[in-house]
Amino acid sequence: MKSFGHFDDAHREYVITDPATPWPWINYMGTEDFFSLISNTAGGYCFCKDAKFRRILRYRYNGVPMDDGGRYYYIKDGDTVWNPGWKPCKTPLDFYECRHGMGYTRLTGEKGGLKADVLFFVPIGHRCEVHRVKLTNTSASKKSFQLYSFVEWCLWNASTDMENFQRNLSTGQVEIEGNVLYHKTEYRERRDHYAFFGVNRAFDGFDTDRETFLGLYNGFDAPEQVRLGASGNSLAHGWSPVAAPRFDLKLAPGESTELIFVLGYVENPQEEKFVAPAVINKAPAREMMAAYATPEQVEAAFGELKAFWDGLLDRFTVESSVPELDRTVNVWNQYQCMITFFMSRSASYFESGIGRGMGFRDSNQDLAGIVHLIPGRARQRILDIAATQFPDGGCYHQYQPLTKRGNNDIGGGFNDDPLWLLFGTITYIRETGDFGILQEPVPFDNQPGTEVSLLEHLKISFRHVTDNLGPHGLPLIGRADWNDCLNLNCFSWNPDESFQTTENKSEGSKAESLMIAGLFVAEGKDFAELLAHPAVAADPDYVAQVGEAVAAMEEAVKRHGWDGEWFLRAYDYYGRKIGSRENEEGKVFIESQGWCTMARIGAKEGLCDQALDATVKYLECEHGIVLNTPAYTRYLPEYGEISSYPQGYKENAGIFCHNNPWVIIGEAMAGRAEDAWRHYRKITPAFTKDQALRKVEPYVFCQMVAGKDAVRPGEGKNSWLTGTAAWTWKAVSEALLGIKPQLDGLLVEPCLPAEVGTYKVHRRFREAEYELTIRLTGKGGSRFIPYRPGRQVLELEF
Ligand code: BGC
Ligand code: NOJ
């Protein structure tokens, strides 16, 4: 089977050895508010804070050829022009390697006795990418050659940049000073930000106008100036501004030289925007350039970045007999959780950074993957999210990262949304013990003066469900639940309207969701426990009410949500069953099996075991558990978007990896270790063998893997930004390895087959540090370790 790369566990890197990967395999850089996407051939872009409104580099999605546009270095050595990352020239290299590490990417290319080693990273503390380019003459003779670098500026708004050409082609503006090319489009008016691309040595020529550099009819693979070995020294005015400096270099045999490039972003206060009419204030850019002027400074900044990631990833480590498990837990899953937390669903190679703000439900779930790493940021995120809620508990489905305001693009009315605030907050408190967050004043819809405590927001969230029950006492689904594509009140025949925002028929709807019912019971139980804790000491009458509402929901599920062998999925607008043996298609669904078994509804009566058996029997396939079966083969207006997808993709019987961990956790709660472990291995990329089939990065989870009904089952899509990251983290760390944060300590309750043997877990928990040796003997059980600060070394047998 063809391999395109391998893990380097010691360095926490993935090493790509063939540039022609089956899909661009990307990495992310950035830890604060400046972020970059970078592929294994240096494609991609960067932005500050908001991938739509502050896009710095231009990138063309779904382009031909794939993945064009990025930070390109061209080497012209005699008549040969090549790039260290192979693209865009695609000149065959004598050696190629891409190392994607934690927040950095390193590309090494070698051709004709010249080696180029380019390290890309976003340092901590500055809004920029640093590119350290090290060139070495590996031949026996002297070399004279040219180095060009090239980036193309986006005119800030990534959306209008792609559509408003009557304006855009006249607005581009740059300035050139010293070794720096500045991009200042629209700075003269309302923008107070500009970008720059500078280098720590004088250049021998430059271009800032794309047409001059490339030639109007050339692609990035054949720039006219590079072919000529020249530069146009062009000044972009209108058209498309770029930054392309040139260096004429000479190296003796064995000699090396290093150039440091800084691709930065600057915001100036209104009153300090200009130093002279039309001359921008460059002081902050100069300061940034000065911070990365020498190899020593770059080394130190890179060291700081490494220390940042090491510090985080050292908080939870496992050492077991299964290397795939260890590298997933110790490196890639946690890293993906961090990236997903930073980006939400905005910018990946499947998300254009334009359409999707921060999701209310998505952002709450993302917390589960990072709260043990960056609790302070999790806290802030919870308060930001809660502040977008409405007084009746309803929510905007999304909010905008730049303003933190709810945005109406997707509207609201997704009736699972409020419950995720409970999930996020409880997850946070269990990890941190910070009950104080519950007393924080939080407004509604960001309106000053409307503040109530976060605890009040949670109560209102809980009540939003009980205020919106349907004819069976089950939660009304609203616009949709977790499954955005189960649009039971939409009824759309118009291809120009969105399934997400259209409600053509909702008055008198009987559409109810078993997924929300399960979520309500699971979160309701946890909420009751939180409320009863001495640190909260909520009114006992209220605690009792919560308990009663949960019990009533359990009853409703048992009475109206059980289909004989599995949990139903929903009732439709008319009150007809969905996810039942009575249905011709879509007889069984994963979401309700996951949530109702996590909530342990009907466990005593054997419902959970039956539902899990049905999941294995009907939904599990070679690559994971599909969302529903049989897949829908025709469009059903009463079900909406789910039936719009071809069979085996996305919400129509794709392996939606996000909800596989629900089943894994459900299995673990039922003590079914073999099943839980098998489900986990199927969706975890480190275990997948066929890289060509999987197509996307072998080091991160994807949102969806094509299911059994698809043309190529096992093909992955929508990698990186997905709730799968946080949920698989929760599944592996808590359900499988068994390290479960509780309000007052850690519950250790592993659920893995005995053949996994003995493993060690190192776990930072609040001010405590646990060194656990866990021996699996097959006897099971659990052990509660009350929280106390300090180091604890324990050997436990299960
Ligand atoms: C996708 C969903 C997504 C939704 C909202 C749909 O097209 O299939 O996975 O949640 O759009 O953006
Ligand atoms: C992706 C969305 O981001 C998420 O909110 C949703 O729950 C899933 N798709 C399922 O539709």
Side-chain angles (χ1 to χ4, degrees):
M1 235 172 262
K2 185 165 167 48
S3 159
F4 297 85
H6 56 266
F7 291 95
D8 179 344
D9 296 328
H11 293 99
R12 294 185 167 132
E13 289 174 339
Y14 191 85
V15 188
I16 301 167
T17 49
D18 181 341
T21 45
W23 183 259
W25 286 358
I26 73 163
N27 192 14
Y28 286 83
M29 309 190 291
T31 51
E32 288 150 344
D33 60 10
F34 182 105
F35 294 105
S36 304
L37 290 76
I38 182 164
S39 73
N40 58 309
T41 58
Y45 59 90
C46 48
F47 62 90
C48 191
K49 292 186 234 172
D50 188 310
K52 176 176 176 182
F53 291 116
R54 297 288 182 277
R55 184 76 62 95
I56 298 165
L57 295 187
R58 181 173 284 165
Y59 188 75
R60 294 165 183 79
Y61 273 89
N62 204 10
V64 176
M66 181 59 184
D67 189 29
D68 255 11
R71 324 85 183 134
Y72 291 140
Y73 288 89
Y74 295 89
I75 291 165
K76 179 174 164 67
D77 184 9
D79 288 336
T80 309
V81 178
W82 59 280
N83 313 101
W86 183 59
K87 265 184 68 118
C89 293
K90 297 202 289 180
T91 307
L93 301 176
D94 301 337
F95 176 81
Y96 160 90
E97 186 184 84
C98 167
R99 288 181 171 261
H100 283 321
M102 303 290 102
Y104 67 91
T105 285
R106 190 168 191 156
L107 283 170
T108 310
E110 191 165 355
K111 179 80 185 166
L114 195 57
K115 183 169 152 193
D117 166 4
V118 189
L119 171 69
F120 302 87
F121 68 100
V122 171
I124 290 171
H126 279 124
R127 290 170 169 169
C128 63
E129 285 184 11
V130 173
H131 306 171
R132 187 192 65 194
V133 181
K134 190 170 175 186
L135 299 157
T136 306
N137 181 353
T138 56
S139 80
S141 39
K142 278 203 288 205
K143 278 205 173 275
S144 294
F145 60 96
Q146 288 167 317
L147 172 78
Y148 292 80
S149 57
F150 173 80
V151 295
E152 182 182 9
W153 304 115
C154 178
L155 306 185
W156 302 116
N157 180 326
S159 179
T160 56
D161 186 63
M162 293 194 308
E163 54 191 32
N164 193 3
F165 299 108
Q166 59 80 25
R167 171 179 161 85
N168 294 349
L169 296 180
S170 293
T171 56
Q173 280 193 296
V174 299
E175 267 184 52
I176 299 153
E177 192 190 279
N179 312 331
V180 189
L181 306 171
Y182 293 88
H183 173 231
K184 60 168 189 179
T185 300
E186 291 184 352
Y187 187 79
R188 58 181 275 158
E189 29 123 344
R190 293 159 301 170
R191 295 192 182 278
D192 55 11
H193 43 268
Y194 64 78
F196 65 91
F197 191 47
V199 57
N200 68 341
R201 72 166 80 175
F203 28 81
D204 297 297
F206 65 87
D207 275 293
T208 65
D209 169 57
R210 190 182 74 200
E211 194 175 322
T212 311
F213 181 69
L214 290 180
L216 185 59
Y217 293 106
N218 294 341
F220 297 127
D221 60 333
E224 180 69 1
Q225 296 298 341
V226 179
R227 188 181 64 81
L228 296 171
S231 292
N233 296 342
S234 56
L235 190 78
H237 216 229
W239 303 113
S240 295
V242 302
R246 187 192 90 234
F247 307 86
D248 301 334
L249 302 171
K250 286 192 174 46
L251 287 178
E255 197 192 349
S256 290
T257 189
E258 234 174 84
L259 296 89
I260 302 162
F261 294 81
V262 177
L263 169 59
Y265 168 91
V266 166
E267 278 174 16
N268 277 330
Q270 281 288 330
E271 55 295 352
E272 291 168 25
K273 280 177 68 170
F274 297 96
V275 290
V279 180
I280 64 177
N281 173 2
K282 303 183 182 70
R286 284 196 208 104
E287 185 263 323
M288 232 187 281
M289 293 293 305
Y292 307 101
T294 66
E296 294 72 32
Q297 286 171 305
V298 170
E299 208 43 57
F302 187 53
E304 199 189 332
L305 179 71
K306 286 199 93 130
F308 168 83
W309 282 106
D310 288 347
L312 288 182
L313 298 177
D314 285 346
R315 298 177 71 87
F316 190 129
T317 58
V318 63
E319 213 184 301
S320 79
S321 58
V322 188
E324 293 88 349
L325 174 69
D326 292 6
R327 62 174 64 113
T328 303
V329 169
N330 296 339
V331 187
W332 294 97
N333 193 357
Q334 297 195 67
Y335 182 57
Q336 186 179 359
C337 287
M338 286 287 290
I339 302 300
T340 308
F341 171 77
F342 291 146
M343 300 287 125
S344 190
R345 306 298 174 270
S346 72
S348 74
Y349 268 29
F350 294 87
E351 303 278 10
S352 66
I354 291 174
R356 306 188 55 196
M358 317 280 293
F360 193 98
R361 77 157 82 89
D362 292 339
S363 297
N364 273 303
Q365 291 171 81
D366 292 347
L367 296 172
I370 55 92
V371 65
H372 65 297
L373 301 176
I374 44 170
R377 288 173 83 167
R379 186 180 211 273
Q380 188 56 50
R381 182 64 64 87
I382 291 170
L383 299 175
D384 290 346
I385 299 171
T388 66
Q389 197 175 27
F390 298 117
D392 74 349
C395 314
Y396 288 108
H397 199 45
Q398 287 184 2
Y399 70 100
Q400 209 53 48
L402 207 54
T403 58
K404 296 186 175 176
R405 297 288 184 275
N407 93 37
N408 238 339
D409 296 350
I410 313 286
F414 295 78
N415 281 349
D416 63 316
D417 271 341
L419 288 174
W420 294 112
L421 187 61
L422 285 162
F423 172 85
T425 308
I426 295 169
T427 303
Y428 168 80
I429 296 175
R430 283 183 171 172
E431 180 65 39
T432 59
D434 173 15
F435 292 92
I437 193 176
L438 294 172
Q439 300 318 323
E440 287 288 339
V442 183
F444 292 109
D445 196 10
N446 283 290
Q447 296 305 314
T450 61
E451 289 81 3
V452 298
S453 68
L454 178 65
L455 180 60
E456 228 21 70
H457 279 265
L458 299 187
K459 290 182 178 174
I460 293 165
S461 298
F462 187 78
R463 204 180 65 214
H464 190 267
V465 177
T466 51
D467 281 352
N468 291 282
L469 296 176
H472 299 99
L474 296 166
L476 288 169
I477 198 167
R479 199 156 282 174
D481 59 22
W482 170 88
N483 188 334
D484 275 328
C485 299
L486 198 58
N487 315 116
L488 303 181
N489 301 310
C490 175
F491 292 85
S492 177
W493 280 108
N494 174 1
D496 303 326
E497 63 193 14
S498 149
F499 287 110
Q500 312 285 306
T501 50
T502 304
E503 265 182 33
N504 288 326
K505 196 159 151 175
S506 50
E507 267 302 296
S509 174
K510 296 180 181 161
E512 297 170 299
S513 160
L514 267 302
M515 181 268 152
I516 304 182
L519 175 64
F520 178 82
V521 172
E523 292 318 307
K525 286 178 179 171
D526 291 349
F527 189 37
E529 185 193 312
L530 175 72
L531 293 166
H533 189 277
V536 183
D539 170 10
D541 288 346
Y542 180 67
V543 185
Q545 271 173 41
V546 169
E548 283 156 25
V550 167
M553 188 68 75
E554 286 188 274
E555 265 325 293
V557 172
K558 284 193 268 183
R559 183 157 322 149
H560 302 292
W562 181 249
D563 197 54
E565 221 184 317
W566 56 80
F567 293 101
L568 286 178
R569 176 62 177 87
Y571 284 94
D572 72 8
Y573 174 87
Y574 307 100
R576 300 177 311 203
K577 291 175 184 171
I578 299 179
S580 158
R581 60 198 148 163
E582 292 168 19
N583 299 111
E584 209 178 301
E585 297 179 337
K587 287 173 187 288
V588 195
F589 277 74
I590 190 171
E591 300 100 320
S592 41
Q593 315 318 320
W595 274 104
C596 294
T597 59
M598 283 198 285
R600 303 291 292 149
I601 299 175
K604 279 202 295 292
E605 298 89 330
L607 304 193
C608 292
D609 281 317
Q610 284 185 65
L612 293 165
D613 286 342
T615 303
V616 170
K617 187 164 162 198
Y618 301 108
L619 298 173
E620 183 178 347
C621 69
E622 188 190 340
H623 304 282
I625 307 169
V626 299
L627 192 144
N628 56 305
T629 200
Y632 295 109
T633 56
R634 52 183 190 280
Y635 176 55
L636 301 164
E638 68 274 31
Y639 291 1
E641 187 170 356
I642 189 169
S643 63
S644 75
Y645 284 112
Q647 297 100 281
Y649 299 102
K650 294 281 287 180
E651 280 86 346
N652 187 17
I655 299 160
F656 218 93
C657 298
H658 185 150
N659 48 35
N660 276 231
W662 300 344
V663 172
I664 297 169
I665 296 170
E667 293 274 16
M669 290 177 85
R672 300 160 49 122
E674 298 291 337
D675 284 349
W677 179 231
R678 189 182 64 254
H679 293 318
Y680 176 71
R681 279 174 303 151
K682 283 191 177 179
I683 60 156
T684 300
F687 289 98
T688 44
K689 297 277 178 286
D690 191 341
Q691 297 187 338
L693 170 65
R694 183 179 171 87
K695 208 171 167 84
V696 295
E697 298 89 341
Y699 39 89
V700 287
F701 289 93
C702 7
Q703 182 208 55
M704 196 247 352
V705 172
K708 57 190 162 79
D709 310 282
V711 172
R712 274 182 302 282
E715 187 177 77
K717 284 186 195 165
N718 296 16
S719 52
W720 282 100
L721 307 183
T722 160
T724 313
W727 274 104
T728 43
W729 173 252
K730 195 171 162 65
V732 72
S733 63
E734 297 186 18
L736 301 181
L737 295 171
I739 316 298
K740 308 183 182 191
Q742 306 289 296
L743 296 175
D744 293 310
L746 279 185
L747 179 68
V748 185
E749 190 175 31
C751 184
L752 282 165
E755 79 251 17
V756 175
T758 298
Y759 59 93
K760 291 189 170 157
V761 171
H762 167 88
R763 187 13 162 144
R764 282 286 304 265
F765 180 60
R766 305 177 195 174
E767 297 308 315
E769 199 153 344
Y770 298 95
E771 306 290 349
L772 308 173
T773 302
I774 296 175
R775 214 180 312 284
L776 300 172
T777 59
K779 71 174 190 225
S782 66
R783 167 87 180 271
F784 182 70
I785 313 173
Y787 171 67
R788 70 174 159 75
R791 189 156 174 272
Q792 292 193 51
V793 184
L794 292 162
E795 292 206 18
L796 306 167
E797 221 175 79
F798 297 94

